[in-house]
Structures are given as structure tokens and as C-alpha cells.
Amino acid sequence: MAYYDIEAILAEQEAVPCSMTADVIKLGHLETGGSGRGDRSKLRKGASVEFPLWLARVLKARNYVAMTHPAAFRSPERLKVDPSVHNLHEASPFFYQFGLDYAVLAGHEDTATLLIEVFQGRYRAVMDMAQNALHEDTLTPMAKLDHLERRLFQSGYQSDKEYQQWLKGDRGRLVAAPAIRDKKRKRP
């Protein structure tokens, strides 16, 4: 993660379900249904709490929490069957980035493998949508894409648009790259 990478910062805001492995005083209000008064002022061992990924990383390093699978990754077989049908943006706007960060932190190789399989399953559909965006409405299918897929779509759309302009002759003449021109000049 780059220091000012806003996408990575937003991905780390996603909630990760955690189970407390130790008592922590004055944090009882974080527990679901906790009032923060009396005996609930202590976050007890075994309590289930959701923390943002960046905080879960710190707490896990200090052995205060054990992480469980986030909702987006609880049923991998559903995602594997037909990845192109699922609304990844609803599961997590930064599905791939969050999933990769979570997999590395939790040491779940199966989650990393799932991310690769889902991306491979959706890649062709995203690029097909990008190439046909000039001729059909893509607003509804775009709503199902996570942030990485939307950037991929934009890149594919821009490339196809420039290619169509080139086919029409609107892009001007093709010229050799400077490295090629320089090489030709140096030959005796």
C-alpha cells in the first residue's frame, strides 16, 4: 500500500468479524448490545465484535483477537459456481483489495485462491462489457462491479474507443516509436 493510496485506505475500512481472546477494559460498549455501564464496560474474552481491517491487524498482532471470515467470503462455493452473476460491489466495494489484505493477514490461502478464481471468471465479462459499451447500456451491470473491475472496465472502454477512432481515421497517422527511428538512423 502506498502511503496516500486512497483505495487501500478505503479497503481497510471494511469490517472483519473478530472474537476477543482476552478481556479488555473500558471497551464493553463495542460489544453488540453492550451499554458501556457496570459489568458491560469490559469487553470480555469470547465476545464477537466487528473491527475495521486496519484495527483488526493491530489487535491480532497483539493477540487480542481471532478473526473469522467476513461475510463476503463465507460461502466460496457460491462464488465459484458462476462468478459473473454475483454483485461484488454489494459484498464489498473493494472486494479484491479487501480480500487480499484479509487473506494475507489471516493466512487463508483458500481466500487468495478464491479471489483469483473469481477474477478469472469475471474478467472476460468485464472486458466484453467494456467493448460493447458504445452500443449498449452498461449502467446496470456496472453496479455489480467492484472498484478494481470498474477501473478495468474504464481502461477497456477507453482502449476500444481509441481503436474505433483509429479505424475511422480520426486518430491521425501511425508513426514509429523514437527508439525505432533512432535505431534506423544508426545503421550504416
Side-chain angles (χ1 to χ4, degrees):
M1 169 175 105
Y3 186 72
Y4 290 112
D5 186 2
I6 190 69
E7 294 167 11
I9 292 169
L10 291 172
E12 288 202 347
Q13 292 298 320
E14 294 289 326
V16 178
C18 298
S19 170
M20 299 304 296
T21 58
D23 289 345
V24 181
I25 56 173
K26 300 208 182 216
L27 291 180
H29 63 281
L30 294 176
E31 188 174 357
T32 307
S35 64
R37 291 188 214 111
D39 62 339
R40 300 297 284 185
S41 65
K42 184 188 290 188
L43 191 53
R44 299 194 182 279
K45 181 178 180 178
S48 295
V49 184
E50 287 192 347
F51 291 114
L53 183 63
W54 63 268
L55 182 56
R57 176 180 286 123
V58 173
L59 295 173
K60 185 176 187 299
R62 295 181 179 168
N63 294 323
Y64 284 121
V65 298
M67 297 187 314
T68 58
H69 277 302
F73 305 107
R74 280 194 193 126
S75 55
E77 51 283 335
R78 244 181 27 144
L79 283 170
K80 288 180 185 178
V81 172
D82 189 5
S84 61
V85 174
H86 297 285
N87 186 343
L88 294 187
H89 186 77
E90 187 177 277
S92 172
F94 296 89
F95 181 81
Y96 296 107
Q97 180 71 45
F98 170 61
L100 182 61
D101 290 345
Y102 168 75
V104 169
L105 179 61
H108 291 160
E109 289 183 25
D110 56 331
T111 302
T113 304
L114 172 69
L115 291 170
I116 293 169
E117 291 174 5
V118 170
F119 186 77
Q120 288 173 339
R122 294 172 64 96
Y123 178 79
R124 178 171 284 178
V126 171
M127 292 310 292
D128 185 48
M129 189 182 357
Q131 290 181 340
N132 293 316
L134 293 172
H135 310 294
E136 58 188 53
D137 179 31
T138 58
L139 189 59
T140 304
M142 280 280 291
K144 293 182 176 183
L145 304 181
D146 97 311
H147 190 71
L148 175 68
E149 291 172 334
R150 288 179 185 195
R151 285 190 9 225
L152 181 64
F153 172 85
Q154 290 297 330
S155 179
Y157 173 76
Q158 188 63 33
S159 294
D160 187 56
K161 186 174 158 185
E162 290 173 4
Y163 174 69
Q164 295 300 327
Q165 288 175 342
W166 178 77
L167 285 177
K168 292 178 186 174
D170 295 343
R171 296 294 292 178
R173 290 185 47 216
L174 290 177
V175 294
I180 302 292
R181 283 182 286 176
D182 293 343
K183 188 164 185 122
K184 286 181 181 179
R185 288 184 200 152
K186 291 180 182 177
R187 287 188 177 170

